[in-house]
Amino acid sequence: MPQTSYRTSSFAESVIRRMTRVAQQSGAINLSQGFPDFDPPEALLKAAVRTAREGPHQYAVTWGAPDFRRALAKKQSRYTGLPLDADAHLVVTCGSTEAMMVAMMTACNPGDKVIVFSPFYENYAADAILSGALPIYVPLHPPEFSFDPAELRRAFEQRPKALVLCNPSNPSGKVFSREELLSIAALAEEFDTFVLTDEVYEHIVYAPHRHTYFAALPGMFERTISCSSLSKTYSITGWRLGYVIAAPAIVNEARKVHDFLTVGAAAPLQAAAVTALELPDSYYGELLALYTEKRDLFLGYLDRAGLSYSRPQGAYYVMADISEFGWKDDVEFCEWLAREVGVAAVPGSSFFHEPVSHLIRFHFAKRSETLIAAGERLLKLREKARGQHG
Ligand SMILES: Cc1ncc(COP(=O)(O)O)c(C=O)c1O
């Protein structure tokens, strides 16, 4: 049999998918894989029924159906404060996942270096490998997940082509402050670097924190390739609708990459999702209130269970500290947790480039009853952990 490519051999099975399997086998409540277990807005479901009947059912314009782009440009202009043009600044993609791949391939040549903050969402390393780029990891130090400006400067001194900015961050729940972003912007300017943003959690930022769009910082629009999607904002992770926003010259190149990768995102779903993009501002307030409630409910259980954690500032994940339980290996701890306590989490080591094994990640994008059931189980964690080793 011929050999498959060396590129694929460096990809391990996703730890999150593995934990999902362990959860299924042991009947654990799955707080590992980050998607909602509740429905999208009713108006959106109605629109999807309509487009299923009436179409369109054939390819849309490859870089996005005009109606969808117009609605997206209008909504994103409102939130970013940038005057976005539906015809010049957008590429509609299959989720932020494709958008990030497009951004990486548009910005980088094989052999170029890319700064990635660690811990990181696992796709970024894969995107770099697939596009032949080499990641330079800069640690976000727990428990605050702050970066050391000197460490970041040293990374820039290696002359990277791009920096990946996940804001708000998965897995840490960090929201970069405006000051932090300005310091990144100054380095990006000094070293003439692209910034590739992944802002899928842009509407899930807990008070008093605020989301700052990197592209909207002074002078940054020309070097930023902003990626995001409708997955998290409208609870439609399976619809696979995302986008790239960038300056026209970058968009022209990104469109070519996108065209050859996927041709386009699903035409009937783009048509239906115009309804989502036209929802009033109150929708985003309600979404945030919903997630704030879920966060507080779940953190309340972690407090009662006596687990320490970094308080999430955005997104819907929390990293809890398991050092006191004395396990050497967070993967074994998570397998034990799923089997014996009945809650599945992700071992933190799967997100870090550095050898960090004292953190695990839960997600709380679940119905209240699911979070309460998981929380009740976690209250027994301490008792069950007694006498265990690791
Ligand atoms: C940071 C981050 N980016 C991208 C994605 C995937 O987004 P999409 O569904 O738009 O591809 C996720 C999903 O968990 C995520 O956490």
Side-chain angles (χ1 to χ4, degrees):
M1 195 175 82
Q3 278 286 305
T4 53
S5 79
Y6 59 78
R7 203 181 286 117
T8 58
S9 64
S10 60
F11 296 146
E13 185 201 14
S14 155
V15 179
I16 297 177
R17 270 194 286 285
R18 184 161 140 215
M19 286 316 303
T20 296
R21 218 174 39 242
V22 173
Q24 278 160 357
Q25 283 160 1
S26 53
I29 298 170
N30 190 0
L31 300 187
S32 60
Q33 203 170 10
F35 58 85
D37 69 348
F38 43 88
D39 283 336
E42 183 58 29
L44 188 49
L45 298 181
K46 285 207 178 102
V49 170
R50 195 183 63 241
T51 59
R53 280 261 154 244
E54 296 173 8
H57 294 299
Q58 310 310 326
Y59 301 123
V61 175
T62 63
W63 59 85
D67 285 357
F68 183 89
R69 271 186 287 118
R70 267 194 294 275
L72 180 63
K74 200 164 162 201
K75 184 230 154 198
Q76 290 307 112
S77 296
R78 198 160 81 240
Y79 280 95
T80 59
L82 293 163
L84 297 173
D85 179 332
D87 295 323
H89 295 136
L90 299 176
V91 189
V92 179
T93 58
C94 300
S96 186
T97 303
E98 191 212 329
M100 286 300 287
M101 190 68 221
V102 166
M104 191 82 80
M105 295 196 86
T106 302
C108 297
N109 289 311
D112 281 342
K113 292 174 185 152
V114 178
I115 298 178
V116 176
F117 286 111
S118 164
F120 58 96
Y121 176 59
E122 62 184 347
N123 281 35
Y124 306 147
D127 292 346
I129 291 167
L130 287 172
S131 45
L134 306 169
I136 308 172
Y137 295 98
V138 173
L140 292 173
H141 299 282
E144 289 86 20
F145 296 102
S146 45
F147 62 85
D148 172 349
E151 261 172 328
L152 185 60
R153 169 165 279 280
R154 279 199 295 279
F156 270 98
E157 282 166 356
Q158 295 180 50
R159 301 275 160 190
K161 191 73 184 296
L163 172 142
V164 173
L165 178 73
C166 181
N167 185 33
S169 294
N170 172 10
S172 67
K174 176 186 176 66
V175 171
F176 285 78
S177 68
R178 191 178 167 84
E179 291 64 38
E180 286 176 313
L181 294 175
L182 285 171
S183 74
I184 296 170
L187 287 165
E189 182 114 53
E190 181 181 341
F191 292 94
D192 197 18
T193 308
F194 281 113
V195 175
L196 321 180
T197 73
D198 184 354
E199 294 171 281
V200 290
Y201 302 104
E202 64 198 282
H203 291 291
I204 309 176
V205 175
Y206 306 108
H209 304 279
R210 289 175 66 87
H211 183 63
T212 304
Y213 289 92
F214 193 84
L217 292 176
M220 285 302 112
F221 188 69
E222 300 300 319
R223 63 176 67 256
T224 304
I225 309 184
S226 305
C227 302
S228 191
S229 84
L230 281 65
S231 288
K232 317 286 175 168
T233 303
Y234 307 106
S235 311
I236 48 170
T237 57
W239 287 32
R240 314 306 306 127
L241 292 175
Y243 51 90
V244 166
I245 297 178
I250 299 173
V251 159
N252 278 342
E253 303 311 302
R255 280 179 181 170
K256 293 184 232 167
V257 179
H258 159 73
D259 193 359
F260 291 125
L261 277 178
T262 63
V263 176
L269 297 179
Q270 289 187 61
V274 170
T275 302
L277 295 167
E278 289 177 345
L279 286 170
D281 288 339
S282 57
Y283 171 77
Y284 304 95
E286 283 157 23
L287 179 82
L288 181 58
L290 180 78
Y291 277 113
T292 305
E293 204 180 296
K294 291 186 184 306
R295 180 190 69 158
D296 293 347
L297 174 65
F298 191 64
L299 296 189
Y301 274 106
L302 295 186
D303 288 333
R304 284 169 61 198
L307 277 170
S308 57
Y309 54 84
S310 303
R311 194 174 181 77
Q313 303 170 339
Y316 45 55
Y317 306 94
V318 55
M319 297 205 92
D321 190 326
I322 56 161
S323 9
E324 62 166 309
F325 299 107
W327 252 266
K328 278 193 254 7
D329 185 322
D330 58 349
V331 180
E332 277 177 27
F333 181 90
C334 283
E335 284 176 357
W336 172 83
L337 187 71
R339 256 192 343 263
E340 301 298 325
V341 180
V343 179
V346 189
S349 55
S350 63
F351 302 109
F352 281 90
H353 176 66
E354 306 78 44
V356 171
S357 58
H358 68 287
L359 299 172
I360 62 172
R361 192 201 73 176
F362 296 104
H363 91 93
F364 50 84
K366 295 282 179 199
R367 295 169 213 246
S368 299
E369 55 267 35
T370 317
L371 294 176
I372 291 170
E376 292 295 329
R377 292 182 183 191
L378 287 173
L379 293 181
K380 305 204 178 82
L381 164 66
R382 198 164 283 279
E383 189 187 313
K384 293 199 172 183
R386 214 170 286 140
Q388 296 289 326
H389 47 90

